[in-house]
Amino acid sequence: MVEIIENKDITSFTTFGIPVKARYFAEYSSERELLALSRKEEFLNNEVLHIGGGSNLLFLEDFGGLVLHSAIKGIKEYRKDDETVYAIAGAGEKWTDFVDWCLERNLAGVENLAHIPGEVGASAIQNVGAYGVEAKDVIHVVECFDTQTRKTVRFSNEECRFGYRDSMFKKDDVRGRYYVLRVSFRLRPDGIPMSLDYGPLKSLKERLGKYPTIQEVAREVTNIRKSKLPEPSETGSAGSFFKNPVVPVHFYKKIKNGGFGDVPAYPAGEGVVKLSAAWLIDKAGMKGVRFGGAMVYDRQPLVIVNAGGASGRDVKELSDEIIRRVRTKFYITLKPEVNFIDTGIKITVLGTGGSKGTPELGCECHVCTSDDIRDKRLRSSVLVETAGLRLLIDPSPDFRQQALNLRLADIDAVLVTHSHYDHVGGFDDLRPFCGNENMPIYLRADVNADLHRRLDYCFREHPYPGVPTFKMNVIDNKPFYINGLKIVPVEVMHGKLPIYGYRIGKFAYITDASHISEEEKEKLENLDVLIINSLRDKPHFAHFSFDQAMDMIRDLSPNRAYLTHLCHEAGCHAELESRVPAGVSPAYDGQIILSTR
């Protein structure tokens, strides 16, 4: 019977060399063992993270759930004919061992992927690639364990929906559902290299004086990688930290004509090219820059290394600075190839004011003239950071100032509660965060229709250059996922208007509510942190009053509650603080609240 270990040190299962523990850990070597694990309490009642070789993971803290690792080994060969050989490898096999196995048998197809860290299972999930070849070019079938049906399923190459460093296994609708058991590769027994058309491999034939063998290609790739990338056993890293950005051709030409004629670019489809992230980082002046124990590798700026004693937060802060500087110089947003792993949530309160903010224009009341910085209330909004994502809830009319106050460099997605101006007035100010790709927006159908009318210039077939561009994702009142992060909409009534609040892990944000049904209250059980609106003492037809907010907090019983959407009639912060019971506080602009998923 497979053992579940508590408080397991899993540092050796990662390549950054940053100490990390898992609350629970289990390693399985067969489908039967995995099936047994899927029925255990630790699996059913905790967040579950399935890992491979850990070469694309960055733990920001100890993991508070269950970590699973595949130890399914073995490689089998099936020769279909003189032109095709299928190699079936267990997900727990090291990728480098699998490549060596192929080279020993003169099987062509994976030689360009030599010396890539990780395990076979991850090759299908990540669609690993290097020097003109990707795993998708040779993958035939991926065999998986379905955690919902607890059955073994098989996906063809087409069904895997491979893309650049992407596959269906990373899509929000199935992310985390399937655990790779084995991968079948379609290889060629002729020993002829698959591709010599990328980078330094172009000149290999000329340098050797003959057409290279797959062994010579693999040796060349290995030498190149060793010359550019640190050995994980000597210097902790995750290899390439960022994806190469894919941008429109006109965007590339703008950079090239702006004094950077040497920018490397490769065709990536109709009307788009792939730029070198390493070149962008280098030109942004980040090579060799260090944050704590984390450093941009001096031989390859695409790599962040553990230069000694680095923490996960050091690496994250350095990656944020890289993103900020590249965006400032080139107006391009780099996206990490590495997955950030943490079970904590950081909430930054951007604004706590009502629709007019505080102080109100023309008002001389004691709240509007207060010297207490906590009484300066911009329109209500929060920034939620977890799982490597930055999620903005409501771009208020004050968003520009809020972003400047925070030195905000990146947003991954926007959640919208409703379309009243004090919650969407900052949409146009999102343009710096759109950059080279559309900003994902998650919202109700009625809000989507309203924004299309009010921001029609953003949705035209040929928009004016420079306007913000969005990918509108219409959501129903049911859970959805962003990069695997579960988000639960909570429908509340804003007077007669149904709007959404959102729950992320054990944190929930409710604004502009005047009523929450019993059914929706069930979504708000067992909260650690609740931020909820409390407009003023006097009743309002569309907002909770102070007493109504207190009643709702008592009903929901979160560990901690914070009041927001406060107008000047709510009183000064100090006055509110003196009135609320233990565990309840008035929120204030700039406040940072920590919670958990």
Side-chain angles (χ1 to χ4, degrees):
M1 180 179 293
V2 65
E3 179 185 9
I4 294 181
I5 304 170
E6 292 190 40
N7 297 316
K8 168 72 173 178
D9 187 322
I10 58 171
T11 307
S12 62
F13 289 89
T14 71
T15 57
F16 255 114
I18 296 173
V20 61
K21 290 183 178 181
R23 183 182 180 189
Y24 301 109
F25 174 84
E27 189 173 59
Y28 61 90
S29 56
S30 68
E31 294 96 317
R32 179 175 293 182
E33 289 183 350
L34 179 54
L35 178 61
L37 279 169
S38 71
R39 291 171 172 156
K40 288 185 174 290
E41 180 181 347
E42 293 87 348
F43 184 96
L44 298 172
N45 297 331
N46 288 279
E47 184 168 350
V48 180
L49 174 66
H50 193 285
I51 65 174
S55 59
N56 68 326
L57 302 179
L58 174 64
F59 285 89
L60 301 182
E61 59 185 13
D62 289 344
F63 189 74
L66 170 64
V67 171
L68 294 180
H69 179 257
S70 172
I72 295 178
K73 299 293 183 69
I75 307 174
K76 295 181 180 180
E77 176 183 342
Y78 167 63
R79 289 186 175 261
K80 179 183 178 183
D81 50 42
D82 292 340
E83 297 180 354
T84 304
V85 173
Y86 293 108
I88 304 170
E93 287 283 352
K94 287 186 177 180
W95 178 255
T96 52
D97 290 346
F98 173 67
V99 173
D100 289 344
W101 183 92
C102 294
L103 295 173
E104 290 170 3
R105 289 158 179 76
N106 209 38
L107 300 177
V110 295
E111 56 279 356
N112 293 45
L113 306 179
H115 207 64
I116 292 178
E119 296 178 353
V120 165
S123 70
I125 296 172
Q126 294 289 111
N127 185 25
V128 297
Y131 300 101
V133 174
E134 294 179 320
K136 71 175 178 61
D137 299 325
V138 289
I139 287 178
H140 176 56
V141 169
V142 180
E143 183 180 331
C144 301
F145 176 79
D146 185 339
T147 59
Q148 290 188 8
T149 65
R150 294 195 176 98
K151 293 182 179 179
T152 299
V153 293
R154 292 171 178 81
F155 297 101
S156 68
N157 184 295
E158 293 75 18
E159 290 172 323
C160 289
R161 291 182 280 159
F162 289 117
Y164 174 57
R165 301 296 182 271
D166 197 16
S167 70
M168 81 154 197
F169 304 108
K170 298 175 73 174
K171 304 299 184 185
D172 289 335
D173 55 342
V174 299
R175 191 176 181 126
R177 175 175 174 175
Y178 300 105
Y179 299 162
V180 177
L181 301 171
R182 295 174 188 83
V183 183
S184 173
F185 298 88
R186 183 172 182 166
L187 307 171
R188 298 191 326 275
D190 57 15
I192 299 175
M194 188 169 191
S195 174
L196 298 175
D197 298 329
Y198 200 91
L201 294 184
K202 290 181 179 180
S203 62
L204 183 59
K205 180 180 177 181
E206 181 180 345
R207 284 184 280 124
L208 292 176
K210 66 181 184 68
Y211 201 85
T213 64
I214 58 173
Q215 292 79 10
E216 288 167 334
V217 170
R219 191 178 305 119
E220 178 74 4
V221 168
T222 298
N223 290 337
I224 294 170
R225 292 184 68 87
K226 285 184 175 181
S227 69
K228 292 183 176 181
L229 305 175
E231 288 293 325
S233 59
E234 300 172 4
T235 304
S237 82
S240 299
F241 199 93
F242 295 98
K243 299 177 183 178
N244 290 320
V246 176
V247 303
V249 171
H250 71 82
F251 207 97
Y252 157 66
K253 290 181 178 179
K254 184 177 180 180
I255 295 174
K256 187 174 182 179
N257 296 332
F260 296 100
D262 60 336
V263 54
Y266 308 92
E270 185 176 354
V272 294
V273 296
K274 185 190 300 181
L275 303 183
S276 166
W279 183 91
L280 294 168
I281 295 168
D282 187 19
K283 295 300 181 182
M286 288 301 295
K287 185 185 287 187
V289 171
R290 184 166 179 160
F291 271 46
M295 185 181 77
V296 180
Y297 197 45
D298 53 5
R299 284 192 281 171
Q300 169 53 279
L302 192 56
V303 176
I304 296 177
V305 298
N306 179 357
S311 67
R313 298 291 174 186
D314 289 342
V315 178
K316 178 67 164 59
E317 288 179 14
L318 180 54
S319 71
D320 287 346
E321 184 62 19
I322 291 171
I323 292 170
R324 182 180 292 111
R325 290 208 200 173
V326 169
R327 180 202 293 282
T328 299
K329 195 170 189 69
F330 297 106
Y331 204 52
I332 288 175
T333 301
L334 293 181
K335 296 296 182 182
E337 193 170 322
V338 170
N339 295 308
F340 298 94
I341 308 298
D342 71 294
T343 51
I345 301 177
K346 177 183 177 182
I347 305 116
T348 303
V349 181
L350 301 180
T352 56
S355 59
K356 293 182 281 186
T358 303
E360 288 193 9
L361 290 175
C363 183
E364 297 293 327
C365 75
H366 76 289
V367 179
C368 290
T369 57
S370 168
D371 292 330
D372 190 337
I373 191 66
R374 297 172 299 177
D375 293 327
K376 311 303 180 186
R377 301 167 184 154
L378 299 176
R379 265 67 72 92
S380 292
S381 177
V382 294
L383 183 74
V384 181
E385 297 176 76
T386 187
L389 295 172
R390 283 195 180 94
L391 307 177
L392 173 68
I393 303 182
D394 286 348
S396 83
D398 298 315
F399 173 68
R400 180 179 180 277
Q401 187 59 52
Q402 293 164 339
L404 288 171
N405 291 345
L406 198 60
R407 288 193 70 220
L408 189 59
D410 190 29
I411 297 172
D412 293 290
V414 176
L415 312 180
V416 183
T417 60
H418 61 299
S419 62
H420 286 173
Y421 182 76
D422 55 318
H423 294 267
V424 299
F427 253 87
D428 191 79
D429 290 321
L430 290 170
R431 64 178 67 195
F433 302 95
C434 299
N436 54 302
E437 57 184 33
N438 298 338
M439 173 65 68
I441 310 292
Y442 295 82
L443 70 182
R444 295 170 55 96
D446 59 316
V447 178
N448 181 51
D450 198 8
L451 290 179
H452 269 76
R453 286 192 297 270
R454 292 157 65 179
L455 301 171
D456 66 295
Y457 62 94
C458 296
F459 302 102
R460 293 171 183 168
E461 184 177 356
H462 302 291
Y464 187 82
V467 303
T469 54
F470 308 117
K471 180 182 179 183
M472 309 300 270
N473 300 279
V474 174
I475 55 174
D476 298 321
N477 188 18
K478 58 185 179 182
F480 62 97
Y481 295 82
I482 301 177
N483 283 8
L485 177 67
K486 183 179 180 180
I487 299 174
V488 181
V490 181
E491 187 172 81
V492 303
M493 296 306 296
H494 180 27
K496 295 182 178 181
L497 178 69
I499 67 173
Y500 281 160
Y502 295 99
R503 176 171 183 159
I504 303 172
K506 294 184 178 180
F507 160 68
Y509 182 75
I510 305 293
T511 184
D512 284 35
S514 59
H515 175 74
I516 306 177
S517 70
E518 293 301 318
E519 183 179 1
E520 295 300 300
K521 284 182 187 178
E522 292 179 4
K523 298 178 182 178
L524 299 172
E525 295 177 351
N526 302 314
L527 287 174
D528 178 39
V529 170
L530 169 67
I531 297 181
I532 192 166
N533 61 296
S534 173
L535 186 67
R536 63 191 187 192
D537 284 330
K538 183 180 177 181
H540 189 282
F541 78 97
H543 294 270
F544 283 141
S545 66
F546 177 83
D547 287 340
Q548 289 171 324
M550 291 301 104
D551 289 342
M552 186 58 64
I553 291 168
R554 280 190 288 270
D555 193 7
L556 298 176
S557 299
N559 291 336
R560 292 170 287 160
Y562 297 85
L563 307 181
T564 192
H565 210 282
L566 304 161
C567 75
H568 66 157
E569 295 175 66
C572 292
H573 184 93
E575 294 169 345
L576 281 168
E577 209 167 32
S578 68
R579 297 175 59 192
V580 294
V584 181
S585 305
Y588 58 87
D589 292 19
Q591 184 175 14
I592 294 175
I593 302 167
L594 302 180
S595 185
T596 180
R597 295 207 309 272

